[in-house]
Amino acid sequence: MAEGAGILVGTADGLHRVGDGGGVELAGHRVTALAGLRGANAVAGSDGEWVALLDGRSVWLGDGRGSWEEVAALEGPPATCLVRVPDGTLVGTAEAHLVRVGEDGSAEIVAGFEAADGRDGWYTPWGGPPDTRSLAVAPDGALFANVHVGGILRSTDGGDTWAPTIDVDTDVHQVLAPGGPVLAASAYGLGESLDGGLTWDLVTDGLHATYLRAVARVGDDVLVSASAGPGGDRSALYRRAGGTGPFERCRHGLPEWLGGNVDTGWLAAAGPRAAFATADGTVYAASDGGRTWDAVTRGLPRVTCLALT
Amino acid sequence: MTTAIDVRRADTRPRTALPWLDSRHSFSFGRHYDPTNTHHGLLVVSNDDVVRAGTGFSTHPHQDMEIVTWVLDGELEHKDSAGHQGLLYPGLAQRMSAGTGIWHSEMNPRSDADVHFVQMWVLPDTERVDPGYEQLDVNGDLDRGGLVPIASGRDHDAAISIRQRDAVLWGGRLQPGETVWVPDARWVHLFVAGGAVELEAAGPLAAGDAVRLTEAGRPRLVADPVEGAEVLIWETHG
């Protein structure tokens, strides 16, 4: 990796910095989620400014170099994901709730999400309650909340009201709104919306299997992880050059199969750099848009999230 | 209570179809909610699941439920947060008591074949107990014919125990033309897991069909004279 370029890997035991000096912060904590303060999504926080979700129970702000401060303790079902918004942090939870955490540490359930159309139809294949699984904010401020299993809901009024978009049964695992098309990693391929999330198409051309758990945009290209299903059998990484056309399998520097799903939050990209983690605690990085990969560390504790610095 | 024999055909069951899972539900489940179809006696879930090779239900939670899994074809790997791990195969009865709460995964370890199993949930007679697990190979008993207790809250020695004193799951791998009698209980749920049968007062039943009996006595059940049948029968009294 280039000097100064690092990867922050959230794990079941602390936040591990790969490259850029290395080190472990927040040891003993499960780093549930991580987002840059300036970026819309969990990538490239400027000067290492980050917001982290720890143990599913508290929100912390930090510089990614050991200085962290708890800003809010959360009650209720465990928190699962987060995204920075203009007036604080939006946190998703188990049982499919949203909590708005203010800059003053206040935490309030987002009532509009509780009242979202179609909520009664959200479910899980195992019969339990659905979770809010991923969040995204587009450059124009539109908010996206992915429920598993409940599709993707969109808010264009700062989170006051939410409307369903993609079909619930598309089984979305991650939503991403980096500018340009809104993207969704789903069980049926890559969901792509060219109209801000109103309508969606599914892209599968070139994939050996359509069960996608993670998506990232690296430059104009799109990276996804794909496998045969929840067990992660025959898991691989793919790149869609220019965001159009078929997917191409990423092979250079990677094993034949990745040994389990590259899960939601385990794949990130910024500029030409990208990185992802595997279930066995290996992190791979690329600096050429995902064309060639190197294993940059191995043996990490169970990975929970990943971001680039 | 009025006697009732309610036949539910296989193709009338709500279905959850995903790339990795084909699940048919006898009762309300997941997104399929019907307030008129939530249980029969103490049986609240009976899912007929086919999970594709190399996939399955990744780790998820349960609480206060007795969960019995019966594999019909293939293998299913169970792992839970209490440290239990097991490979289920046809004839191995498994019970997981979710109790105060447990996380578990159910994965098809085979890369070359689907797994077909029936998962059944029964309400426990006591909530907030410690989670538990038990498995038992009953193939030998099944091979002897007749109905065999697979899971029981009524002290059947040859069965796995469940924490519901008012429920027993009977299984049968019936030979062609074999006759058995359905247990006499307040509520009985008969599921044809394979083959075909003829049930007195209900008529012919094929794989995937089920019958909900209420105070129906002990009707005669005869396996198809050519292919025989595999049946799962819950008797519940509460």
Side-chain angles (χ1 to χ4, degrees), chain B residues 93 95 134-138 141 148-162 168-170:
Chain B
R95 177 266 302 166
E134 185 179 358
Q135 62 184 54
L136 182 68
D137 188 316
V138 296
D141 292 329
V148 171
I150 293 175
S152 175
R154 297 196 150 196
D155 297 325
H156 289 93
D157 290 340
I160 53 174
S161 62
I162 58 173
V168 181
L169 171 64
W170 300 86

Side-chain angles (χ1 to χ4, degrees), chain A residues 121 123-127 168-169 171 187-188 210-211 213 228-233, chain B residues 16-21 29-31 53-58 60-62 107 121:
Chain A
Y123 70 99
T124 62
W126 53 87
V168 166
D169 288 327
D171 193 11
Y188 293 90
T210 66
Y211 187 85
R213 281 277 187 94
D233 188 42
Chain B
T16 297
L18 299 171
W20 56 275
L21 169 70
F29 192 86
R31 69 173 311 184
T55 70
F57 295 88
S58 46
H60 59 276
H62 290 287
M107 306 300 295
W121 300 7

Side-chain angles (χ1 to χ4, degrees), chain B residues 94-194:
Chain B
Q94 182 223 45
R95 177 266 302 166
M96 184 179 76
S97 298
T100 53
I102 198 166
W103 290 71
H104 81 142
S105 65
E106 302 152 281
M107 306 300 295
N108 180 355
R110 299 275 301 269
S111 61
D112 59 346
D114 297 345
V115 58
H116 184 193
F117 62 98
V118 182
Q119 189 163 96
M120 300 156 280
W121 300 7
V122 167
L123 295 171
D125 52 39
T126 306
E127 292 188 344
R128 313 304 292 168
V129 297
D130 290 337
Y133 181 91
E134 185 179 358
Q135 62 184 54
L136 182 68
D137 188 316
V138 296
N139 278 300
D141 292 329
L142 287 169
D143 289 343
R144 285 191 277 276
L147 293 178
V148 171
I150 293 175
S152 175
R154 297 196 150 196
D155 297 325
H156 289 93
D157 290 340
I160 53 174
S161 62
I162 58 173
R163 293 172 182 173
Q164 174 46 264
R165 67 179 74 87
D166 286 327
V168 181
L169 171 64
W170 300 86
R173 279 196 201 131
L174 307 181
Q175 295 299 312
E178 183 178 351
T179 296
V180 295
W181 278 262
V182 175
D184 184 4
R186 190 172 187 185
W187 291 290
V188 173
H189 184 268
L190 184 156
F191 177 69
V192 183

Side-chain angles (χ1 to χ4, degrees), chain A residues 46-218:
Chain A
S46 173
D47 298 327
E49 293 176 328
W50 300 93
V51 58
L53 191 58
L54 298 191
D55 308 308
R57 289 294 178 200
S58 56
V59 178
W60 294 58
L61 293 180
D63 64 4
R65 291 200 175 277
S67 177
W68 291 88
E69 178 185 9
E70 182 177 353
V71 296
L74 303 173
E75 298 178 347
T80 55
C81 55
L82 56 70
V83 71
R84 285 293 287 180
V85 291
D87 53 351
T89 304
L90 199 61
V91 176
T93 78
E95 300 179 18
H97 302 296
L98 284 182
V99 177
R100 188 187 302 278
V101 176
E103 300 288 18
D104 60 355
S106 60
E108 184 179 352
I109 286 276
V110 177
F113 197 70
E114 301 296 307
D117 283 344
R119 190 179 176 97
D120 288 346
W122 301 349
Y123 70 99
T124 62
W126 53 87
D131 293 340
T132 307
R133 186 180 172 98
S134 70
L135 298 168
V137 55
D140 66 359
L143 297 170
F144 297 89
N146 153 228
V147 173
H148 186 250
V149 175
I152 299 171
L153 293 94
R154 187 182 78 150
S155 174
T156 55
D157 57 7
D160 290 338
T161 61
W162 295 82
T165 63
I166 200 169
D167 186 341
V168 166
D169 288 327
T170 310
D171 193 11
V172 174
H173 299 117
Q174 182 185 354
V175 62
L176 188 68
V182 184
L183 304 172
S186 86
Y188 293 90
L190 175 70
E192 183 179 70
S193 174
L194 302 180
D195 55 8
L198 291 174
T199 62
W200 294 82
D201 292 310
L202 288 171
V203 181
T204 60
D205 194 16
L207 298 174
H208 78 285
T210 66
Y211 187 85
L212 309 189
R213 281 277 187 94
V215 57
R217 200 181 74 184
V218 53

Side-chain angles (χ1 to χ4, degrees), chain B residues 19 32 37 59 65 164 188 196 199 217:
Chain B
H32 303 286
N37 185 29
T59 305
M65 195 65 71
Q164 174 46 264
V188 173
L199 177 67

